[in-house]
Amino acid sequence: GAGGLSLGLEWAGFDIIAAFDSDPYCIETYNRNRKKFVAIVADARTLSPEALLHGTAFSRGDIDLVAGGPPCQGFSSQTRGAHLGDPRNELVLHFIRLVRALLPRFFLFENVTGFGRKRGKAFLGAIERELSEYDLVPNVFNAADYGLAQTRQRFILVGRRRDVPGPYQPPPPTVDRWRTVGEAIGDLPEPPEDGSDHPLFFNHSRSRVSPKNIERFSYVPQGGGWQDIPEHLRLPCHRRIKKGSGGWPDVFGRLEWSGQAPTITSGFDSFTRGRYGHPLQNRPLTPREAARIQGFPDWYRFYGTRNAIRHQIGNAVPPPLAEAIGRSIASCLLLSHGCSMAA
């Protein structure tokens, strides 16, 4: 990805020695936000551990942590149809292959919550069988418990090699009160009307929205959705649904200033993809606003096409959540060796 997991692990004290993704835009974002260029464009299906460690001083068994999040779409409840046949699911097996080859002291596997249920049962079983050298600790975390204005839930599986002193303890919540959307984005100025980036904030630009959709959204109050739009202005598919019967309640949804956002996905810049309307303005979230809700600092700049940037932000592991988990792993590692940790 674009480096959210790595950024959080760096905050937790890890030294990132190698990283990869098959998307060149992700790698550009990853490397241009760091002092040293450690990420390479590579496909997990063909990448060898030797290529990943090329140029480092590490070999099998030396690394403290292998962390990653294989594509989640095949395990998501939002994916309809033959999810078990999604070819991206097989990348989980290549994550297993790389962990077996590198034999790190810990591994961290991230995915949607569905992975820990029926949709991921077969692959979770493969992890248990193939990585029998590890004690496994699965958990579902809510990002709001770790300082984000977002109720994003993620399945995290941590494996501890059995010769490492332990046990590993999942991190408790780091906040006593959930952060609000207003607290996360309230100090940002309005983005330029022409769609360009704000001169003081990277990636703070408005998406192109038709005047008709802006008119529709203007009727939606905070916490509301398409059912608040006058019937004569609704999309044809919405006119056929009886009010109060449900039917995509988050479409044309406006966020609440004093509440939390739902899971930020790659569709955050469109009214029609979910509850991503600004609480006060008649527009969707900007990439910078979505990045803030994901826990990225303002200096972290995303590169590529607008579509690429949307996917980088929506698919990211929130850095504050990664930091909390990383600190729990680090507390175990520091029992066994010195100060610097490698991932």
Side-chain angles (χ1 to χ4, degrees), residues 138-154:
N139 274 279
V140 172
F141 293 95
N142 186 331
D145 290 330
Y146 299 89
L148 282 90
Q150 176 189 189
T151 56
R152 186 187 197 95
Q153 294 196 37
R154 279 299 182 268

Side-chain angles (χ1 to χ4, degrees), residues 108-130:
L108 187 165
F109 174 92
E110 181 269 347
N111 214 285
V112 293
T113 56
F115 189 90
R117 301 169 187 160
K118 182 179 179 180
R119 292 197 169 205
K121 186 176 180 180
F123 290 93
L124 190 55
I127 293 174
E128 293 172 347
R129 290 191 307 274
E130 298 296 324

Side-chain angles (χ1 to χ4, degrees), residues 165-201:
Y168 160 78
Q169 297 290 341
T174 57
V175 296
D176 296 325
R177 180 185 65 83
W178 285 0
R179 198 177 190 204
T180 67
V181 170
E183 290 170 335
I185 67 173
D187 64 320
L188 284 170
E190 273 295 279
E193 292 287 346
D194 63 2
S196 62
D197 269 7
H198 192 282
L200 300 180
F201 293 94

Side-chain angles (χ1 to χ4, degrees), residues 4-340:
L5 179 57
S6 291
L7 181 61
L9 292 173
E10 287 175 330
W11 289 345
F14 284 88
D15 179 22
I16 309 298
I17 62 168
F20 73 94
D21 195 283
S22 62
D23 184 346
Y25 287 131
C26 284
I27 297 305
E28 181 181 7
T29 293
Y30 193 109
N31 284 330
R32 291 182 70 168
N33 281 284
R34 282 172 171 76
K35 293 180 180 178
K36 55 182 180 179
F37 295 73
V38 300
I40 60 172
V41 178
D43 189 324
R45 294 169 294 185
T46 57
L47 180 66
S48 70
E50 293 78 16
L52 192 57
L53 294 182
H54 180 72
T56 76
F58 294 87
S59 58
R60 188 174 192 265
D62 291 340
I63 295 172
D64 291 314
L65 176 65
V66 169
C72 64
Q73 288 85 351
F75 307 108
S76 173
S77 60
Q78 296 184 14
T79 302
R80 300 178 184 273
H83 57 274
L84 292 178
D86 192 320
R88 292 170 293 187
N89 294 355
E90 299 299 323
L91 291 170
V92 174
L93 303 181
H94 290 283
F95 178 90
I96 296 172
R97 175 179 64 83
L98 289 171
V99 171
R100 282 185 60 82
L102 295 170
L103 200 66
R105 294 177 179 89
F106 278 86
F107 72 82
L108 187 165
F109 174 92
E110 181 269 347
N111 214 285
V112 293
T113 56
F115 189 90
R117 301 169 187 160
K118 182 179 179 180
R119 292 197 169 205
K121 186 176 180 180
F123 290 93
L124 190 55
I127 293 174
E128 293 172 347
R129 290 191 307 274
E130 298 296 324
L131 300 178
S132 58
E133 306 95 332
Y134 292 83
D135 287 326
L136 305 181
V137 182
N139 274 279
V140 172
F141 293 95
N142 186 331
D145 290 330
Y146 299 89
L148 282 90
Q150 176 189 189
T151 56
R152 186 187 197 95
Q153 294 196 37
R154 279 299 182 268
F155 173 83
I156 304 289
L157 178 67
V158 171
R160 177 184 62 84
R161 208 173 67 197
R162 290 199 173 101
D163 65 331
V164 175
Y168 160 78
Q169 297 290 341
T174 57
V175 296
D176 296 325
R177 180 185 65 83
W178 285 0
R179 198 177 190 204
T180 67
V181 170
E183 290 170 335
I185 67 173
D187 64 320
L188 284 170
E190 273 295 279
E193 292 287 346
D194 63 2
S196 62
D197 269 7
H198 192 282
L200 300 180
F201 293 94
F202 298 133
N203 309 120
H204 189 39
S205 59
R206 64 178 70 229
S207 59
R208 294 179 181 176
V209 182
S210 69
K212 179 63 72 175
N213 274 342
I214 292 176
E215 181 185 5
R216 289 176 175 128
F217 188 65
S218 69
Y219 289 94
V220 178
Q222 291 188 38
W226 69 266
Q227 294 183 350
D228 297 294
I229 299 171
E231 190 163 355
H232 71 281
L233 287 175
R234 292 181 193 172
L235 296 173
C237 60
H238 291 158
R239 294 175 194 171
R240 296 192 293 268
I241 302 174
K242 293 181 180 179
K243 193 170 184 178
S245 64
W248 317 292
D250 287 341
V251 173
F252 279 93
R254 190 187 291 273
L255 294 167
E256 295 186 69
W257 190 259
S258 58
Q260 289 72 41
T263 298
I264 294 294
T265 71
S266 60
F268 63 77
D269 67 344
S270 172
F271 295 137
T272 61
R273 297 192 188 107
R275 188 171 299 280
Y276 302 124
H278 192 281
L280 305 180
Q281 305 298 327
N282 292 327
R283 59 171 177 80
L285 294 172
T286 69
R288 177 49 49 194
E289 288 166 338
R292 278 197 175 189
I293 293 173
Q294 278 279 60
F296 281 94
D298 285 346
W299 57 261
Y300 206 94
R301 185 173 186 174
F302 298 87
Y303 293 87
T305 65
R306 188 171 188 94
N307 182 61
I309 289 170
R310 285 195 293 105
H311 280 83
Q312 289 173 39
I313 295 170
N315 292 337
V317 177
L321 174 59
E323 178 186 13
I325 298 167
R327 288 189 183 280
S328 290
I329 294 172
S331 67
C332 284
L333 287 167
L334 291 175
L335 293 175
S336 56
H337 63 79
C339 13
S340 181

